[in-house]
Amino acid sequence: MRRALYPGSFDPITYGHLDILRRAARLFDQLIVAVVENPRKEPLFSAVERRDLVKKALAEEKIRGVNVITYSGLLVDCARELGATAVVRGLRATSDFDYEFQFALTNRDLDSDIESVFLMTAGQYSFLSSSLVKEIAQYGGEVGKFVPDCVARALVAKLKRNRRRKEG
Ligand code: ADP
């Protein structure tokens, strides 16, 4: 049984993530999306909201057989506990490389039994990031091309709630 983890912030999940997920699901017997609870940047959505959006997006895109969890702590510990032997990451531009290189080498140093696997982005998603989607949504732009409907709706609702909270 080849089990892989696809870790990330997913704040929120985009079609770029979903493309990597769909392709990774073909390579492994079991794929688990691991939503990191405390990402490097202050997230817009809570870990549970991000996890639920991944689940909804998978259902909307009809991608079956992928589990979704949240995790905190070391990725290699999470992988070991779940019996995963691979960590999947997506690569967009060379700008992703430095961080991913460091991340992969550190993880290998911590546990050499866990292999990092990199999938190259699809051309049409090479510019796409969660940050870009949030920025477009913030200024009232249309994000339907970048994220599934359930995510677009959640973004509008979350930003409206945040705006009201700031004003009130
Ligand atoms: P992190 O904060 O861990 O980078 P992200 O949610 O931003 O979390 O990304 C998770 C993984 O998905 C990373 O490996 C990232 O490079 C990859 N990824 C994000 N967007 C895309 C995209 N448009 N195409 C391919 N891979 C992507």
Side-chain angles (χ1 to χ4, degrees):
M1 165 78 90
R2 296 207 170 272
R3 187 175 290 158
L5 271 191
Y6 178 28
S9 314
F10 303 101
D11 186 41
I13 186 160
T14 70
Y15 283 138
H17 293 121
L18 285 160
D19 174 59
I20 296 288
L21 244 160
R22 199 178 275 116
R23 283 153 54 205
R26 282 193 220 122
L27 298 176
F28 297 96
D29 300 314
Q30 202 177 35
L31 187 62
I32 303 167
V33 176
V35 176
V36 62
E37 284 182 19
N38 299 308
R40 285 170 285 156
K41 288 165 265 170
E42 175 75 22
L44 177 64
F45 292 98
S46 72
V48 169
E49 287 170 335
R50 285 179 277 134
R51 181 201 63 195
D52 290 350
L53 281 177
V54 174
K55 284 187 185 172
K56 281 186 194 158
L58 286 168
E60 198 175 312
E61 290 297 299
K62 299 185 174 53
I63 302 173
R64 295 191 181 87
V66 176
N67 293 316
V68 192
I69 58 161
T70 59
Y71 85 99
S72 59
L74 286 178
L75 179 66
V76 288
D77 290 340
C78 174
R80 219 181 289 128
E81 265 166 40
L82 294 168
T85 50
V87 168
V88 173
R89 297 284 289 176
L91 282 179
R92 280 161 294 188
T94 47
S95 51
D96 276 341
F97 183 81
D98 281 349
Y99 177 74
E100 295 297 341
F101 186 65
Q102 206 181 3
F103 189 50
L105 260 57
T106 308
N107 286 333
R108 187 189 294 159
D109 205 51
L110 293 170
D111 189 335
S112 58
D113 290 337
I114 296 168
E115 197 58 67
S116 296
V117 175
F118 296 97
L119 297 183
M120 211 61 80
T121 183
Q124 78 259 42
Y125 303 130
S126 58
F127 64 93
L128 183 52
S129 67
S130 301
S131 314
L132 183 76
V133 169
K134 284 183 281 190
E135 212 166 309
I136 296 170
Q138 185 109 39
Y139 295 109
E142 178 51 53
V143 293
K145 260 195 257 169
F146 312 127
V147 295
D149 286 348
C150 58
V151 176
R153 282 196 301 270
L155 265 168
V156 170
K158 172 67 91 180
L159 291 168
K160 202 186 271 175
R161 207 173 310 136
N162 285 0
R163 221 171 284 136
R164 259 198 235 121
R165 199 171 291 159
K166 252 188 212 158
E167 285 164 6

